[in-house]
Amino acid sequence: MSDPGPGSGQEPAEPDEGSGTAAHKSWPPVGRRTAAALAVAVVAVGAGAYALASSGDGSSDAKPPAAKGPTTVEVSAGACGRGWSGATPGPQVFALRNTSSTAAEVDLTDPATGAVYGEVEGLAPGTTREMRVVLGGGSYAFKCLPDDADAVTGPTVKIAGASTGSGPAAVPVTQHDLIPVALAYQQWITAKTVELTDRTDELKRAVDDGDLAAARDAWLPAHLVYERMGAAYDAFGDADGAINGSGPAPSAAGSAQDFEGFHRVEYGLWHGESAASLRGPADRLAQAVHALRDSWPQERLDPAQLGLRAHEILEATAQSELTGRTDYGSGTSLATARANLDGTRELLTLLRPLLASRYPDLPRLDAWLHRTQHTLDGFGTGGHWTPLDRLGRQDRQRVNSDVGQAVELLAPVATICDARRTA
């Protein structure tokens, strides 16, 4: 992610579209963490940490209570959860010991609802890993999920006290939950491939006619259609490189023709190439787009990847568009960032039924996405966009800050929507 420069160090409780003072936060989150102040709470350690949202009071200087434990807990089909019989409310540390002959996942759950408070994946036989959680009053049980075997739920342990003291938890999202989302998104992408084909054909016709001014006008609308389809890129295979591949750094003008697709045509249109020299790249781009449209109905999205993609779209935007790494002359990086935001929101719309009851910070994420849209829209008028290198220091800080905060709030979406076993 690009450096946003110095910030105020204060994040508004609700985004104020006029202030632009929200502090940029690095990703992954680093620094001081408390149970009360986490924006992203990691409630398990090791491979497969389960990250959830937790609202806080902002008092990041407060020290958390000392964790209780470690309490050694057995992980096996015959003795899942053995070793833990009770606790007082507050932070807990469990030393999970796999005494079986096969690797296993282990979750700390609410046995009534199935909500997960902590998770450790890939616990190998004979190994021990810690799980750190915050527990209030309530009922809890460890669930052991051995590889290639049914899940086993251990004994229920009750903790007396107020239930409000517990850390974040969420009911697992399963592959079955994500299939309708994948099917709906697949249909949306189908419509976009048709629009992409039409727009790209307009670009090709302008190049074929030798009208480079019209080609420059047609390039951005076509390119933005593709950018909005970001969550499906992995399913496109080699077509993605042929359509939107990046070549050498834009500053390396002498070698910036060793790539294909939209950026190759962009480079030529804004670096004085003739229409004759651009006909080949434009034709190959159109062929790749037509091939994608024709082959897409036979492709299948991986449902388990959709939550991750919702986070990665804007994460990649921060790393590429907001650093100028993908601007080959058009000066439209902010337009691309705006299209990527559209793609993120489309996927979130489809995931929302799964997130509404699992992600308490979803309204806050919505507010920051709205703020980011408002910020980016301020740099585009009538199809013309301010080039990234012409932004003033304050505007550059605000763009980086808004996108960075949205990326951070999207991280729990990726984790919550990571398909999990429940049986």
Side-chain angles (χ1 to χ4, degrees):
M1 191 177 296
S2 53
D3 180 7
S8 67
Q10 301 294 321
E11 177 188 314
E14 294 295 335
D16 177 354
E17 292 180 358
S19 69
T21 59
H24 171 76
K25 296 186 177 181
S26 60
W27 180 252
V30 295
R32 293 169 298 185
R33 297 182 176 189
T34 71
L38 284 178
V40 178
V42 179
V43 298
V45 296
Y50 195 42
L52 298 169
S54 176
S55 60
D57 60 8
S59 56
S60 59
D61 292 327
K63 292 183 179 180
K68 300 169 180 64
T71 300
T72 300
V73 176
E74 187 171 347
V75 177
S76 70
C80 181
R82 179 187 292 172
W84 185 46
S85 58
T88 56
Q92 317 284 332
V93 180
F94 298 104
L96 304 176
R97 175 74 176 172
N98 187 349
T99 59
S100 72
S101 60
T102 184
E105 174 187 324
V106 57
D107 298 340
L108 180 60
T109 69
D110 179 335
T113 66
V116 175
Y117 289 88
E119 172 191 77
V120 169
E121 294 181 334
L123 185 61
T127 62
T128 301
R129 289 222 305 268
E130 285 190 349
M131 174 190 289
R132 295 176 179 266
V133 292
V134 178
L135 301 180
S139 296
Y140 304 92
F142 281 99
K143 177 180 284 190
C144 303
L145 300 99
D147 289 355
D148 302 320
D150 292 339
V152 177
T153 300
T156 297
V157 174
K158 295 183 178 180
I159 297 178
S163 61
T164 54
S166 295
V171 176
V173 171
T174 67
Q175 187 91 351
H176 180 75
D177 294 328
L178 290 166
I179 289 174
V181 178
L183 292 175
Y185 191 69
Q186 181 111 13
Q187 292 177 351
W188 185 79
I189 291 293
T190 298
K192 286 297 175 184
T193 62
V194 175
E195 182 183 359
L196 176 65
T197 303
D198 292 342
R199 294 283 192 178
T200 305
D201 285 347
E202 292 178 16
L203 170 61
K204 180 181 179 300
R205 281 195 296 270
V207 172
D208 287 344
D209 291 343
D211 190 343
L212 295 183
R216 283 188 286 270
D217 288 340
W219 181 87
L220 183 60
H223 183 237
L224 295 186
V225 174
Y226 189 78
E227 290 290 341
R228 294 185 183 100
M229 299 159 63
Y233 285 172
D234 275 5
F236 292 164
D238 293 341
D240 182 43
I243 293 172
N244 207 39
S246 294
S251 59
S255 59
Q257 299 186 39
D258 299 328
F259 58 101
E260 294 289 350
F262 278 112
H263 290 304
R264 170 65 187 91
V265 175
E266 175 190 13
Y267 176 81
L269 287 173
W270 276 273
H271 284 84
E273 285 192 42
S274 66
S277 69
L278 283 173
R279 287 189 182 113
D283 184 62
R284 291 190 294 273
L285 169 61
Q287 289 180 27
V289 167
H290 278 258
L292 175 63
R293 181 200 62 188
D294 295 342
S295 66
W296 179 248
Q298 286 74 50
E299 301 295 335
R300 290 295 177 265
L301 287 168
D302 181 359
Q305 295 295 311
L306 294 178
L308 179 62
R309 298 293 172 254
H311 172 248
E312 285 185 338
I313 294 172
L314 281 190
E315 185 180 46
T317 299
Q319 295 168 349
S320 298
E321 276 66 46
L322 298 191
T323 61
R325 285 170 49 191
T326 54
D327 182 357
Y328 288 88
S330 66
T332 57
S333 292
L334 295 176
T336 300
R338 178 65 175 82
N340 291 337
L341 181 64
D342 287 341
T344 299
R345 286 184 131 171
E346 178 63 30
L347 194 49
L348 280 178
T349 297
L350 299 175
L351 290 168
R352 188 169 297 274
L354 300 177
L355 294 170
S357 62
R358 292 175 170 90
Y359 187 20
D361 263 355
L362 185 58
R364 186 163 167 258
L365 169 59
D366 288 336
W368 275 98
L369 292 176
H370 177 73
R371 172 183 173 135
T372 304
Q373 176 179 329
H374 180 82
T375 297
L376 292 172
D377 284 346
F379 303 115
T381 304
H384 299 284
W385 290 79
T386 303
L388 192 67
D389 59 6
R390 295 185 189 173
L391 290 184
R393 180 179 178 84
Q394 184 175 5
D395 285 337
R396 185 66 173 266
Q397 287 180 226
R398 185 178 185 188
V399 170
N400 288 345
S401 172
D402 289 356
V403 173
Q405 184 62 57
V407 169
E408 184 167 324
L409 288 168
L410 282 164
V413 173
T415 308
I416 291 168
C417 293
D418 184 14
R420 286 171 166 80
R421 285 181 59 191
T422 57

